[in-house]
Amino acid sequence: HWVLSCAFSFDDKLFVTSCEDKSVRIWNTQSGQLKCTLAGHSNNVRSSFFSVDGSRVISASNDRTARIWDANTGEMLSEFLFNNGANSCDFTPHP
């Protein structure tokens, strides 16, 4: 399956991939090992990013949702439903 986007954590220790197979995957940059798979979207995932502190991941999907995940446990914390597919997402750092 195709990777549609990827992003590094701010400390460069992890990166996250958004995939055509409806998944988000978190990878260790040092070992190349898969840390966890975030499953729950029902269509391809277009975009995903880490929060500044690396504790959360946000993902946007063609299933019309954006979701916030715990980057350590893979648990979905929040889901936001839109009228159309969500193509992009990001976290805004707090000052």
Side-chain angles (χ1 to χ4, degrees):
H1 295 279
W2 293 95
V3 172
L4 301 176
S5 73
C6 62
F8 283 91
S9 60
F10 285 84
D11 63 6
D12 291 331
K13 293 181 180 179
L14 301 171
F15 71 96
V16 61
T17 56
S18 309
C19 301
E20 188 181 52
D21 70 354
K22 309 173 193 172
S23 71
V24 177
R25 292 182 175 94
I26 299 174
W27 304 85
N28 181 299
T29 57
Q30 299 298 313
S31 68
Q33 295 292 315
L34 178 65
K35 178 180 176 186
C36 68
T37 299
L38 311 177
H41 283 292
S42 62
N43 204 326
N44 59 6
V45 182
R46 306 286 299 171
S47 179
S48 56
F49 286 94
F50 282 97
S51 60
V52 174
D53 67 1
S55 68
R56 305 281 187 261
V57 168
I58 188 167
S59 59
S61 171
N62 279 347
D63 67 4
R64 303 180 334 176
T65 67
R67 299 173 187 223
I68 297 176
W69 310 84
D70 184 302
N72 294 309
T73 67
E75 176 187 0
M76 186 181 67
L77 303 174
S78 301
E79 179 181 45
F80 306 92
L81 181 62
F82 303 102
N83 291 329
N84 298 306
N87 290 320
S88 181
C89 60
D90 202 351
F91 279 101
T92 302
H94 294 286

